[in-house]
Amino acid sequence: MPELPEVESVRATLEPHLVGKRILRAQIHRPDYVVAFDHGGQETPASPHALLQDATTSAILRRGKQLALLAADGRVACLHLGMSGVITATSTPSQSTSKRDHVHVTWTLADGSHILFADPRRFGGVWTFPDLKALHTYRWNFLGVDALEFTAEQLHAACLITRRAIKAVLLDQAVAAGIGNIYADESLFAASIDPRTPARALSPAHCTDLVEHLHRILHAAIHAGGSTLRDYRDATGARGSAQHAHAVYGRPHEPCLRCGQPLRTTQVAQRTTVWCPRCQPRLRPAKASPRTTPNPTSAQHAR
DNA sequence: CCTTAATCCTGGAAGC
DNA sequence: TGCTTCCAGGATTAAG
């Protein structure tokens, strides 16, 4: 569930509790949840050292739905929340982590506070790297640009080279990182585009419109502290409120907020999808065959 | 190429 | 009330 806005909210609320602080101890309660990479990309047993024990944190980066804790000496710990991951900063001593609270990693800071990473469903994980270069080489380079930096030109280029539905393209983390099921549906509704539309049918103007709505919705959600549906909390334990702004996500069969028509639901790219059949008409697939001369207005985007 | 299914996992909700 | 079943989700992998 945590998508870009939720992860950014975690990053922002965790920052003051962690950056500039010394980590006295890193505890791995579930070894199979943490994977360590060396300079050559080989996986090695995770250790407290790899998890930044005895380091001072210098920054928390985010790309898409992933976070990276940077140590002043270069070490990196990449965190992915999966769908049920929760990172909590607490000043109170760590109440003995029982087996049932699903806390897989605990950091103890020099100021006596603790950072807990819990993930009941374990779709998330932790990957450690000796330096930032290794993080990029072995992990982040497989991701597309962060969704907040995603441009209409990049979207259009991605749409031209695939036969997938537009929603599948938005969900592809290698195209743009950070968009999940919620914000894919919401941005497609805002842009009045049927999620099942073949991506190739989108014009440059459609892409411009879609990216503008996507950015607006992501920024608004960040401002609202993210969407809290079930387990999501930021690093201080606070819930987000962006879920109250959802126009289609989680509202199958309910009336469209724009036209009143009942919202429809189906599966697109293996994900539950909700859209308005009236406000989001299916676009006609592009007529031109791939081998003929493309429409001059879109030719410059080919690659 | 692309879609589908299966996999990982737990807890909340729905069904009987 | 107490079961069982289903489902959600992100990402990866294998199969069609």
Side-chain angles (χ1 to χ4, degrees):
Chain A
M1 239 166 295
E3 301 180 26
L4 188 153
E6 292 73 39
V7 177
E8 174 57 23
S9 296
V10 171
R11 193 202 63 74
T13 51
L14 183 58
E15 202 165 49
H17 292 276
L18 188 57
V19 173
K21 303 291 182 66
R22 182 135 193 100
I23 297 175
L24 292 184
R25 193 175 181 205
Q27 293 168 272
I28 304 171
H29 307 111
R30 223 191 200 286
D32 62 352
Y33 195 72
V34 185
V35 176
F37 284 77
D38 64 18
H39 284 286
Q42 295 301 308
E43 297 186 13
T44 61
S47 65
H49 178 266
L51 263 178
L52 315 190
Q53 180 164 296
D54 298 318
T56 296
T57 315
S58 58
I60 307 177
L61 310 181
R62 181 190 59 73
R63 178 140 164 194
K65 306 169 188 175
Q66 303 183 32
L67 295 176
L69 311 183
L70 281 197
D73 63 12
R75 281 177 278 168
V76 180
C78 176
L79 279 46
H80 189 170
L81 300 176
M83 68 169 287
S84 61
V86 175
I87 297 173
T88 308
T90 171
S91 53
T92 60
S94 67
Q95 310 305 336
S96 55
T97 63
S98 69
K99 291 80 180 174
R100 309 208 53 75
D101 60 12
H102 304 290
V103 172
H104 308 316
V105 178
T106 301
W107 289 275
T108 303
L109 308 187
D111 64 6
S113 64
H114 298 264
I115 307 294
L116 311 178
F117 186 6
D119 180 13
R121 269 152 276 185
R122 275 184 270 150
F123 275 24
V126 178
W127 298 266
T128 69
F129 301 90
D131 56 33
L132 211 43
K133 184 173 183 291
L135 166 70
H136 283 96
T137 301
Y138 303 117
R139 194 164 177 84
W140 279 11
N141 282 353
F142 297 110
L143 296 175
V145 64
D146 187 80
L148 291 179
E149 317 292 325
F150 194 37
T151 67
E153 289 73 25
Q154 290 168 331
L155 172 60
H156 192 240
C159 288
L160 284 178
I161 61 172
T162 186
R163 304 177 74 88
R164 292 185 292 176
I166 179 58
K167 178 170 176 178
V169 173
L170 291 179
L171 290 174
D172 187 343
Q173 302 300 297
V175 171
I179 307 166
N181 207 30
I182 297 174
Y183 300 103
D185 274 10
E186 291 299 317
S187 56
L188 286 165
F189 172 76
S192 303
I193 296 171
D194 186 318
R196 305 166 298 175
T197 305
R200 303 175 75 108
L202 268 66
S203 67
H206 285 128
C207 292
T208 298
D209 200 36
L210 180 51
V211 168
E212 281 180 4
H213 282 291
L214 172 68
H215 286 164
R216 176 181 58 74
I217 288 169
L218 291 177
H219 281 296
I222 291 171
H223 190 70
S227 299
T228 293
L229 296 173
R230 234 180 225 131
D231 346 70
Y232 170 73
R233 298 290 188 281
D234 70 20
T236 70
R239 296 161 167 271
S241 63
Q243 67 277 11
H244 301 305
H246 295 170
V248 289
Y249 179 84
R251 303 189 61 241
H253 315 305
E254 289 180 43
C256 170
L257 297 178
R258 198 189 289 162
C259 77
Q261 188 93 354
L263 298 177
R264 287 186 58 190
T265 183
T266 187
Q267 294 278 120
V268 178
Q270 319 311 124
R271 320 316 294 256
T272 297
T273 297
V274 183
W275 84 105
C276 174
R278 181 188 282 175
C279 296
Q280 296 168 266
R282 175 130 48 174
L283 295 176
R284 222 181 59 242
K287 274 293 191 65
S289 82
R291 292 209 179 278
T292 60
T293 308
N295 180 325
T297 59
S298 58
Q300 68 272 25
H301 295 289
R303 209 194 84 80

